[in-house]
Amino acid sequence: MPPAIPSATPPGTPKEYRIASIPADGIGPEVISAGLEVLEAVAARDGGFTLKVDHYDWGSNWYRRHGMFMPPDGLAWLRTADAIYFGAVGDPDVPDHISLWGLRLPICQGFDQYANVRPTRILPGVTSPLRDVGVGDLDWVIVRENSEGEYAGHGGRAHRGMPEEVATETAIFTRRGVERIMRFAFDIARSRPRKLLTVVTKSNAQRHGMVFWDEIAALVSHDYPDVTWDKELVDAMTTRMVRKPQSIDTVVATNLHADILSDLAAALAGSLGIAPTGNIDPERRSPSMFEPIHGSAFDITGKGIANPVASFWTAAMMLEHLGEKPAADLLMRAVEQVCAAGILSPDLGGKATTQEVTRAVVEAVRGMNR
Ligand code: IPM
Ligand code: MG
């Protein structure tokens, strides 16, 4: 037998993951520090890995000081991380398109995190605004194309200030871009028990890009004979989400369509305050970025009442992506236990503060069987 190759880390040594934390604006810092606290508890409970967190103070305050949202070599710094844990970007004093194109989109697009994954489910203890719809009736994964489409940034303005001023915003669909997101979505659908995918489109009105989108979905579907799929126009999809939530499992949609549908999904599942997302590079050439979808929420910033559940669920997605599925499951079980016990923040009709929810989840993690 050949001698064993000595490994750099002796067996039994916990793996160390490097996490780049970018809390950024609004309630971002509150929910990300809550998330990091819970992640530490999960790592301690699991014992198989540790986390080394690099803190980056980029965002709108950084912009006020430096005239940009992150340093020009920001991506090179982030590349040293195994994953990025992101809070929210957006500030009442900075136009939204400046902050978005200053920080979040350069990371998503610069690292080609082309798959945005948005799971939605009704957590125990949480009430859906839909009548007669409870835990188990709504269990969706929305896959959002995250690199092109309506967010391609392609367009411009001419004749500024003149009566004939014109502005264009062209959606871009490339064969490579559409095919890879379709494959990713079919893979997710295949990995779930129902093996059911809905391809959202608007090819009745948009006869170029969206017809192309449908054609590629049909082509890719041949490689997934075990996945049942259908097509739904985006407007009809909103009605179906409300009226027949049980008919939906995995969904794939363009950048803008999925942006809109995922807010609706979060609201139907009880609150925007619980919805997580992962900006994934499925090929793992670059670190992926995980963030709550709720945004900076300036109306409640600093009040200590932000719902940290989205950032916990986000942390669970990050752990799963890092290969720590048992730890991710443990964290979600702890979150569900706390929600079921009625320890809920005001957006879910409860009275608990961010800190109280966080403390309860940390305690649940500590008491949880692996
Ligand atoms: C989201 C958000 C962003 C988006 C905003 C903040 C620009 O709504 O992640 O869904 O539209 O992508
Ligand atoms: Mg959105």
Side-chain angles (χ1 to χ4, degrees):
M1 239 186 24
I5 300 164
S7 69
T9 40
T13 308
K15 274 169 278 167
E16 183 187 83
Y17 298 114
R18 262 183 103 147
I19 306 296
S21 157
I22 314 177
D25 301 342
I27 59 170
E30 299 167 49
V31 297
I32 292 300
S33 77
L36 290 173
E37 207 179 316
V38 162
L39 274 167
E40 278 309 323
V42 173
R45 184 78 197 82
D46 184 275
F49 64 94
T50 60
L51 300 168
K52 182 179 176 309
V53 183
D54 299 315
H55 300 272
Y56 295 97
D57 60 352
W58 305 338
S60 295
N61 286 333
W62 211 86
Y63 173 72
R64 276 187 269 274
R65 289 200 305 274
H66 302 277
M68 50 191 150
F69 275 81
M70 63 173 164
D73 61 351
L75 292 194
W77 285 92
L78 296 179
R79 210 171 255 298
T80 62
D82 295 303
I84 304 164
Y85 193 36
F86 190 91
V89 68
D91 186 285
D93 301 333
V94 183
D96 285 338
H97 65 279
I98 304 284
S99 53
L100 182 70
W101 284 94
L103 191 58
R104 193 172 155 270
L105 284 183
I107 299 173
C108 290
Q109 298 189 351
F111 284 155
D112 201 18
Q113 296 162 340
Y114 65 83
N116 184 275
V117 181
R118 305 192 155 188
T120 314
R121 152 164 96 69
I122 301 178
L123 298 181
V126 174
T127 318
S128 166
L130 293 176
R131 216 180 324 129
D132 303 327
V133 168
V135 177
D137 288 324
L138 192 160
D139 184 356
W140 305 335
V141 177
I142 298 181
V143 175
R144 170 177 180 183
E145 201 296 316
N146 211 33
S147 67
E148 52 177 35
E150 308 86 345
Y151 281 55
H154 192 80
R157 288 171 70 167
H159 312 302
R160 286 213 179 227
M162 307 290 181
E164 63 273 31
E165 182 163 4
V166 54
T168 60
E169 190 81 47
T170 308
I172 302 281
F173 297 96
T174 62
R175 182 174 291 280
R176 184 176 133 82
V178 178
E179 186 174 337
R180 66 186 183 176
I181 200 64
M182 288 297 167
R183 287 199 183 281
F184 183 85
F186 272 97
D187 281 334
I188 298 247
R190 175 178 268 173
S191 73
R192 291 167 53 86
R194 294 175 70 193
K195 300 190 193 309
L196 185 64
L197 176 69
T198 301
V199 176
V200 173
T201 183
K202 191 64 197 175
S203 49
N204 54 348
Q206 298 184 300
R207 59 196 173 138
H208 308 298
M210 289 287 85
V211 170
F212 183 57
W213 172 267
D214 291 358
E215 281 170 13
I216 294 180
L219 275 178
V220 169
S221 75
H222 294 309
D223 292 338
Y224 297 84
D226 52 330
V227 174
T228 310
W229 73 287
D230 64 354
K231 253 180 354 193
E232 194 72 83
L233 296 170
V234 65
D235 46 350
M237 189 65 180
T238 58
T239 335
R240 179 162 158 195
M241 286 166 73
V242 172
R243 303 191 73 98
K244 290 191 196 152
Q246 300 88 347
S247 75
I248 301 167
D249 187 81
T250 308
V251 176
V252 62
T254 69
N255 216 329
L256 180 63
H257 289 168
D259 174 42
I260 299 164
L261 294 180
S262 58
D263 266 27
L264 174 59
L268 296 178
S271 168
L272 206 55
I274 58 178
T277 188
N279 300 282
I280 312 278
D281 167 18
E283 274 96 59
R284 294 177 185 263
R285 299 154 297 174
S286 306
S288 294
M289 177 160 76
F290 299 83
E291 57 176 335
I293 80 168
H294 51 56
S296 46
F298 267 85
D299 51 331
I300 57 162
T301 298
K303 295 191 175 157
I305 54 163
N307 189 347
V309 167
S311 81
F312 300 158
W313 195 341
T314 296
M317 286 184 83
M318 181 165 77
L319 288 174
E320 188 166 347
H321 182 79
L322 291 170
E324 301 296 339
K325 173 97 168 84
D329 290 347
L330 181 141
L331 172 50
M332 280 317 286
R333 273 186 284 134
V335 169
E336 287 176 17
Q337 187 179 306
V338 167
C339 290
I343 305 171
L344 302 170
S345 50
D347 56 304
L348 291 174
K351 288 201 170 66
T353 62
T354 311
Q355 262 195 359
E356 282 162 356
V357 178
T358 307
R359 212 172 306 129
V361 172
V362 166
E363 271 159 32
V365 164
R366 288 192 182 135
M368 195 65 73
N369 290 327
R370 264 183 294 168

